[in-house]
Each structure stands twice: as structure tokens, then as C-alpha cells.
Amino acid sequence: AVAKQPDNAGTVARQPAEDPDDTFVEETRANKSGFWDYLHRGPPKNLGSKELPRGEENCLEEKTFVITGVLDSLERETAKGLIEGLGGKVGGSVSRRTSYLVAGEGAGESKSAKAVQLGVRVLDEDGLFELIESLPARKCKYLIQAEKEAKVKGLSGGGGKAGPSTQSQVSVTAPKTKGTDSHLPTPNSKGTNSQLSTP
């Protein structure tokens, strides 16, 4: 038995005069145009013209940033290094965990819209510099954690009392590996590390 095909088989359905897919086509063109612009964006207009801010140690600790667009005087990687060097994190997309969106010229519309929707503060490059210069120094979260662990160990090992003999300052140091210190600088008579020891 051969199955009979419907009368309209092989014909293409006609679209109404006002095609709802026209908006899809326009949005796709806009997205492609935006992506093309992203791929061919130029360098910052005033590259290297501003002095980098000197922030306090770990002043951006527990803050997450997203960078979008071309900043005024910093390459994206330089801005990322600046933020991470002061204890901050740099992410790729805006979320509820994002503290700040740093927006430059040609900032992504979707990132900007999401930041507004989530109440994320939007900064330009100068705003980032002002933020860095205004925040106080903070302890590194790993140092805080190490101090808490040392305190717990001190309290549990000392019968609940932490006297002067059981209190100690916590210092975080890298473990030494046998035979690998010979290339490290050694202090000279003035206390600086200008002289290097020879292996």
C-alpha cells in the first residue's frame, strides 16, 4: 500500500504581508554587526596617557568586575591585571555576583542592560581609578582564613585558654623545596635584594 501525499506536499507556505521573521532578521543583522565591531575594535584612544592609580593592598578584595568596550587609556589585559593585582576578580559576564561593570567606548548592550537590571554599578575608566584610590587596604581572605584556623587550633589545643604563650602571629609563606633556593636573591649589607647569589 502506497501512502498518499497531501495535496499541499512540496509547496512552501506563504508568509503574511508583515513577516514576523523580519524582526528576527534585523536582530541577527544587528548582532552580526556588533560582533564584527567587537572583532575589529581599535586600541584605546589615549593609550598610556594616564598614570595608574596606586591602591591600598587588597583594596578590591571580594569585589568582582566585568570589563566591556574599549577603555580610554588602558588595554583590557592591563585593566584586568590592575584589578587582580589589588585582590579583585574579573569575570566575563554580568551576574548577581558582579560588583562593578567597567564600561568603555562601544560597551556591550547586553552587559549594560543586565547590569542595570541587576543593580550593578557601572563605572568608566576614571570611575575605576577613583574607586581604587578611595578604598582602604584589606586583609587577604586567605590570611583571614589562616588566622581563624590558627585561633581554633590554639583554643582547642590549649584547654580553651589562649594566653600569651599560645598566641602567635600567623605568617603565610611558600613551602621550601630542597635544592631550589639557590637562585633566589640574597640581601646585601644594606638590606636590599640587589645582589644575587650564584648557584
Side-chain angles (χ1 to χ4, degrees):
V2 176
K4 185 178 177 186
Q5 291 185 343
D7 293 336
N8 63 355
T11 62
V12 177
R14 296 185 140 207
Q15 297 292 332
E18 290 184 27
D19 190 353
D21 289 337
D22 283 346
T23 57
F24 174 76
V25 170
E26 290 302 317
E27 287 174 5
T28 303
R29 282 187 187 145
N31 288 340
K32 284 183 181 178
S33 172
F35 184 66
W36 182 258
D37 291 344
Y38 167 77
L39 289 176
H40 298 288
R41 68 184 185 269
K45 288 182 180 178
N46 300 309
L47 184 62
S49 65
K50 297 178 186 175
E51 188 175 325
L52 292 178
R54 298 190 197 288
E56 297 289 332
E57 186 177 3
N58 293 317
C59 65
L60 300 179
E61 185 75 28
E62 297 184 3
K63 295 186 180 1
T64 302
F65 295 79
V66 173
I67 302 170
T68 184
V70 179
L71 301 179
D72 186 46
S73 70
L74 293 179
E75 291 279 355
R76 187 178 294 242
E77 287 302 313
T78 305
K80 181 179 177 185
L82 175 66
I83 292 167
E84 290 175 344
L86 294 170
K89 291 181 183 177
V90 178
S93 60
V94 177
S95 70
R96 58 189 169 95
R97 292 184 176 154
T98 304
S99 308
Y100 299 95
L101 175 67
V102 182
E105 185 177 324
E109 291 179 26
S110 63
K111 287 181 181 179
S112 299
K114 183 109 182 204
V116 169
Q117 176 189 0
L118 296 174
V120 173
R121 187 168 170 203
V122 180
L123 304 172
D124 61 1
E125 183 182 277
D126 291 332
L128 173 65
F129 286 4
E130 290 171 12
L131 177 71
I132 289 171
E133 290 174 346
S134 69
L135 293 174
R138 297 185 62 166
K139 278 189 179 180
C140 173
K141 65 182 175 184
Y142 301 109
L143 181 58
I144 293 170
Q145 182 180 358
E147 288 174 346
K148 285 180 182 177
E149 290 174 4
K151 186 175 180 180
V152 168
K153 286 180 184 177
L155 290 176
S156 63
K161 278 191 165 181
S165 60
T166 60
Q167 289 181 343
S168 64
Q169 288 214 336
V170 175
S171 64
V172 178
T173 57
K176 289 188 177 184
T177 308
K178 187 176 180 181
T180 60
D181 318 15
S182 62
H183 67 282
L184 297 175
T186 57
N188 63 15
S189 60
K190 294 182 182 176
T192 62
N193 291 336
S194 61
Q195 295 177 342
L196 297 177
S197 63
T198 55

